[in-house]
Amino acid sequence: MKIAVVGTGYVGLVTGTCLAETGNSVICVDINEEKVKMMQAFKLPIYEPGLELLFHRNIEQERLKFTTNLASAIEDAHIIFLALPTPPGGDGAADLSYVLGAAEDIAKLIKDYKVIVTKSTVPVGTADKVIKVFKDNTNVEVDVVSNPEFLREGVAVEDFMKPDRVVVGTESPRAQKLMTELYGPYVRQGNPIIFMDTRSSELTKYAANSFLATKITFMNEIANLCELVGADVDAVRKGIGSDDRIGKRFLFPGVGYGGSCFPKDVQALAQSAKENKYDFKILESVMEVNDTQKTIMVEKMRKYYGGKLKGKKIAVWGLAFKPETDDIREAPSLYIIDELLNDGAEVSVFDPEAMDHVKKLKGDTV
């Protein structure tokens, strides 16, 4: 099948590469000329375990290509994935300008039937807005499908190649047939493709990430309580994680969640609730607790040193928001570093993959 992927960020690049791995012809398009030239030269712009091998193999076998030319990328494509940024705006709502802008550009170029797939994490009702963009700009028939990603950074290739489930939002039999064919190779072990309407599909992604963020936050609260009452949080984690209604995953306490998904998705879902006049109390608490948790370690250090961190030499080991990635978006380490610097500490930092990104942000302050 011929596929176009618009956007070569984390999601777009993993999606395009993994789709090529099962024999599809994939063209990834991006407006960043420097980045495209880099990928054409066999260089990955991100670190993700297992991706480099597939990336090189599929370029060599000419199943994976990169371009800045949108028209040529989508001309022969059966399916066009929109894998574009949806950053939080000032009010926390997802900014859809990149998605809707790309949809308008595509609508003015297409000449025959296409399936347009929103792979980006988008609020409920986005598919309806994309449909309107196409109706306003072309008479060519399209089907707009919601297909949220559930990729965990650090194991994204495995998540794509062997997904727990594939969620597809569409009410078009024609689009459903194409999506079933596309994802067939990935669900041979019985993992389901779950078809639903686009609004339910869009909400599924936000609901999943918000639930996991809530689970992490709950365990951080338990950890804080354990310290006060003299209990062992690791023992508590094992005790409750053995209950299969709860499960063992996402129960490790720490300095709060970060990354590209949880912070903005929880914020966006909370904002969506506000726009619909619903007070989502749990999510408001999750965000409040997580903000505090990011710097709770600094408070312990201040207490230990009698409130005097000035001149103290402190090392921060680990900068990415989680292991096996170079992603520092909303990483708790950055908040900790800022607090330490504000208190006058001398800070040294290390990370096996994320150093260059932090250098761009912090320069020689650490």
Side-chain angles (χ1 to χ4, degrees):
M1 197 176 295
K2 293 182 178 180
I3 310 294
V5 179
V6 182
T8 60
Y10 179 83
V11 172
L13 192 51
V14 173
T15 297
T17 303
C18 290
L19 287 173
E21 178 66 10
T22 53
N24 298 294
S25 176
V26 180
I27 300 179
C28 296
V29 58
D30 200 291
I31 59 172
N32 188 328
E33 291 186 14
E34 184 179 345
K35 188 178 183 183
V36 169
K37 287 178 181 177
M38 178 182 178
M39 292 184 290
Q40 288 172 338
F42 287 69
K43 294 179 182 178
L44 271 174
I46 61 170
Y47 172 75
E48 177 62 36
L51 184 62
E52 189 170 14
L53 174 65
L54 304 189
F55 179 77
H56 287 167
R57 178 161 64 213
N58 286 284
I59 294 176
E60 288 170 355
Q61 297 180 3
E62 299 186 347
R63 289 194 298 262
L64 181 62
K65 298 178 181 178
F66 301 92
T67 183
T68 56
N69 190 318
L70 180 63
S72 64
I74 68 172
E75 184 176 6
D76 297 322
H78 303 110
I79 301 174
I80 302 171
F81 282 88
L82 303 181
L84 295 149
T86 53
D91 59 358
D95 180 358
L96 294 178
S97 59
Y98 296 104
V99 172
L100 298 180
E104 184 175 344
D105 291 340
I106 293 166
K108 293 174 180 177
L109 292 168
I110 57 172
K111 298 173 184 175
D112 53 14
Y113 173 78
K114 309 286 184 187
V115 173
I116 310 298
V117 181
T118 54
K119 198 69 176 169
S120 308
T121 301
V122 294
V124 176
T126 299
D128 296 335
K129 293 178 180 178
V130 174
I131 290 170
K132 185 178 185 304
V133 169
F134 277 91
K135 285 183 176 178
D136 289 346
N137 289 279
T138 183
N139 292 321
V140 177
E141 182 187 2
V142 299
D143 280 316
V144 176
V145 171
S146 168
N147 175 218
E149 52 85 15
F150 299 97
L151 304 176
R152 295 168 296 160
E153 292 190 41
V155 286
V157 172
E158 183 180 351
D159 282 348
F160 197 102
M161 301 302 289
K162 298 177 182 178
D164 293 329
R165 79 292 199 198
V166 176
V167 173
V168 179
T170 182
E171 295 174 13
S172 162
R174 188 176 181 183
Q176 182 170 330
K177 184 174 182 295
L178 277 172
M179 296 300 286
T180 301
E181 180 183 342
L182 179 67
Y183 279 113
Y186 305 94
V187 295
R188 288 173 179 161
Q189 295 177 321
N191 33 341
I193 302 177
I194 305 171
F195 287 99
M196 59 185 73
D197 63 276
T198 55
R199 284 178 170 251
S200 297
S201 173
E202 290 164 344
L203 186 54
T204 295
K205 174 61 187 288
Y206 279 122
N209 276 356
S210 295
F211 182 83
L212 294 174
T214 301
K215 196 173 180 182
I216 292 168
T217 304
F218 176 81
M219 207 60 203
N220 282 334
E221 292 271 68
I222 291 295
N224 296 338
L225 182 60
C226 280
E227 290 194 4
L228 295 174
V229 301
D232 180 352
V233 69
D234 203 43
V236 175
R237 174 185 62 80
K238 292 174 183 175
I240 67 173
S242 299
D243 186 330
D244 59 11
R245 295 171 301 174
I246 296 172
K248 299 176 181 179
R249 295 167 66 184
F250 291 88
L251 288 182
F252 290 87
V255 289
Y257 59 77
S260 61
C261 293
F262 285 4
K264 77 179 183 66
D265 290 357
V266 172
Q267 194 176 26
L269 185 57
Q271 180 60 28
S272 180
K274 286 179 183 176
E275 290 170 0
N276 287 277
K277 295 180 173 57
Y278 181 73
D279 184 11
F280 211 140
K281 293 183 176 67
I282 291 177
L283 291 192
E284 296 295 337
S285 295
V286 166
M287 290 186 287
E288 182 182 344
V289 170
N290 195 63
D291 285 344
T292 302
Q293 196 72 19
K294 286 178 179 178
T295 55
I296 200 167
M297 187 63 70
V298 180
E299 287 300 321
K300 294 174 188 290
M301 294 164 71
R302 287 173 179 144
K303 184 177 180 181
Y304 182 85
Y305 286 111
K308 298 176 182 178
L309 292 180
K310 187 173 182 179
K312 293 287 186 290
K313 294 183 179 180
I314 298 171
V316 179
W317 187 18
L319 299 171
F321 83 94
K322 63 179 285 189
E324 299 295 339
T325 182
D326 62 349
D327 195 341
I328 61 168
R329 284 175 287 184
E330 292 296 319
S333 64
L334 301 181
Y335 292 84
I336 291 170
I337 290 168
D338 285 344
E339 289 286 310
L340 294 173
L341 291 176
N342 286 338
D343 280 14
E346 295 178 23
V347 183
S348 297
V349 304
F350 174 78
D351 188 289
E353 295 296 339
M355 297 280 276
D356 289 342
H357 297 317
V358 174
K359 283 179 181 176
K360 290 176 184 176
L361 281 180
K362 301 298 181 185
D364 57 2
T365 61
V366 297

